Amino acid sequence: MGDEPRLTREDAAYVARLARIDLSDDELDRYALQLAAVLEHAAQVAALDTSGVEPTAHPLPLQNVLRADEVRPSLDRDEVLSQAPAAEAGRFKVPRILGDAP
Amino acid sequence: MTGDGGETRPEAPDGPTGPAIDIARRVRAGETSAREVVEHHLGAIDRYDGELHAFVTVLHDAARAEADALDRRVAAGDDPGPLTGVPVALKDNMCTRGVPTTCSSRILDGWLPPYDATVVERLRAAGAVVIGKTNLDEFAMGSSTENSAFGPTRNPYDLDRVPGGSSGGSAAAVAAGLVPVALGSDTGGSIRQPAALCGVVGMKPTYGTVSRYGLVAFASSLDQIGPLTGTVGEAAVLFDAIGGHDPRDSTCLERLPPRSASAVSEGVEDLRIGVVTELLDGVDAAIAARVRQAADALSAAGAKIEECSVPELRLALPAYYLLAPAEASSNLARYDGVRYGLRVDADDVEAMNGATRAAGFGAEVKRRIMLGTYALSAGYYDAYYGQAQKVRTLILDALSAAYQRHDALLGATTPTTAFAIGDKVDDPWSMYLSDLCTVPSNLAGHPGISVPFGCDDAGLPVGVQVLAPALGESVMFQVAAVVEHAAPHMAEPGVLAR
């Protein structure tokens, strides 16, 4: 982490790639500026001395929830697949996942 | 335009009152029919919603059929429940089987959920009629309902102003009388803030008291469903109806607060109520004055009012705007063009994902996903996300300490009244500041309620916020009911006079 929350277009492009959103150059420029502005306010959080403070991931104490491993009704497969952009042979259908061999 | 300062009645009512309570009583007694009630509200929607745009879907036929079925049951001597015949609007991020559930996003275009949210099942089990789905900021991300793929909702008090958000459609619909009650969801203030800006009651329950099954997730450790209503009593009755353990939500509590409806008549005698400095700092003077006025009324009703400072609350907003986007970036990864909604075709799956998400998400959702992804990315995780989680601990500890000295806390709901449409859309932080007074409850998982309390000089509604510790709904409703009864008279929304 640096002291200055400056974000370049390249940083924004990297984050957009991680988030799987195709952004235009205009959008990357705009988000780089806007994210930097929000991160300026986050700087007071980042700069705080929190030694000895435990993180809170959840507001209330939670325990793992288990139930008996019994077969129960679930959503109807055909109804679920009817909502998919593409389905075939009882499965979700997607474009190819693997690229051509180099 | 209000009966400013007029006579106040700082005592508590006998029990829950309000239009929804009247409707249920009359339909159960056979004095009116559920069908008649539904027709009246469908008529109001048809007449006013062209201007307000509170609804994204109106269920004319389904609501009539549900009402007729209830009328047949009443005629047969059956009692369908405490909400018999009450029309309810649902924020459109709650799943309704076979009925579009859009989250006001293009990415869920055409999606028909294969199941009902638990709250929908519980409302119907109590006799309520689902009359429509209301507009929101896309995926509940926003404070103005301007971030909707279907266009903004307008404030019933001034059509050039926002209703707040993200449950702006539900708030506007209740304020204009299109429905007596509605449900919203509150991740950082999304029930309470629009309630304040529209002059209605909005309540965020303790985290885990209302099932999130079927609520489209935004930030799972912060999201909670709750009621928007005309009165505090109606909010208590609705909360009683929708709350309770649900095995389908693993974060749902086994232990629940006592029934809330009776709390509205208990008064505030000897309750210790803290007026929170940090929930008045940076707040418009007119709103701060209303909070003081409410505190005076509580004092007159027998409560002990004390000043209270919780400096850690100043860290709540920046911490929230790291945590909520981080959780959102993870939750919204599921919109990948594979299982539901929009797909933009491409040669391989990764290109399809990127093109689909670029076309399907609006600007604010993209911004939050970017921010959250950044806060979680290698090299920044500890500095941003990890630190924000520790701030969450500091806020929880500070509020716990405050609740050692006070039974409930009082402050503003929002720093300003309703702002003009378009005012803040290009300046994210100025928009985020709208959530200044509401985010602490979400970070802590505590309940909070906004009660309308007169208006500012421009005639725009003001909300006073009552906060309580986890599972402290009863004391929160006790205080809220007394605040409500002391509230200055408010003129009806301008849209109804046109």
Side-chain angles (χ1 to χ4, degrees), chain A residues 34 38 41, chain B residues 137 140-148 152 162-166 188-190 193 197 317 320-321 364 367-368 414-439:
Chain A
Q34 291 178 337
V38 173
H41 296 277
Chain B
D137 286 298
M141 296 178 196
S143 311
S144 69
T145 317
E146 290 167 289
N147 303 323
S148 163
V162 303
S166 65
S190 279
Q193 187 260 13
L197 269 47
L317 196 68
Y320 173 87
Y321 274 98
E364 179 64 19
R367 187 151 49 226
R368 302 252 187 137
T414 57
T416 71
T417 52
F419 45 91
I421 289 175
D423 244 16
K424 299 179 195 266
V425 278
D426 293 323
D427 183 355
W429 191 258
S430 82
M431 183 72 86
Y432 299 169
L433 276 172
S434 303
D435 307 335
L436 184 70
C437 305
T438 45
V439 292

Side-chain angles (χ1 to χ4, degrees), chain A residues 1 15 19-20 22 27 31 34 39 41 45-46 48 50 54 56 58-60 79 83-85 92-93 96, chain B residues 97 112 207 337-340 343 348-349 354-355 357-358 363 366-367 370 374 383 387 389-390 392-393 429:
Chain A
M1 70 174 264
V15 173
R20 298 277 190 280
D22 295 347
E27 284 178 303
Y31 287 136
Q34 291 178 337
L39 291 172
H41 296 277
V45 170
L48 209 65
T50 54
E54 290 295 315
T56 297
H58 227 271
L60 301 174
E79 193 178 352
Q83 296 303 308
F92 296 111
K93 186 180 177 186
R96 67 177 180 181
Chain B
R97 182 168 190 170
L112 302 176
Y207 184 86
V338 174
R339 287 158 296 171
Y340 26 65
R343 171 183 292 184
D348 65 63
V349 81
R357 289 161 67 80
K366 288 176 182 171
R367 187 151 49 226
M370 292 280 287
Y374 182 78
Q387 278 286 94
Q389 285 189 312
K390 291 178 180 177
R392 196 170 184 183
T393 306
W429 191 258

Side-chain angles (χ1 to χ4, degrees), chain B residues 121-146:
Chain B
E121 291 179 353
R122 294 216 168 135
L123 285 172
R124 290 211 174 103
V129 175
V130 176
I131 202 167
K133 310 288 296 284
T134 57
N135 200 16
L136 63 150
D137 286 298
E138 185 177 1
F139 285 104
M141 296 178 196
S143 311
S144 69
T145 317
E146 290 167 289

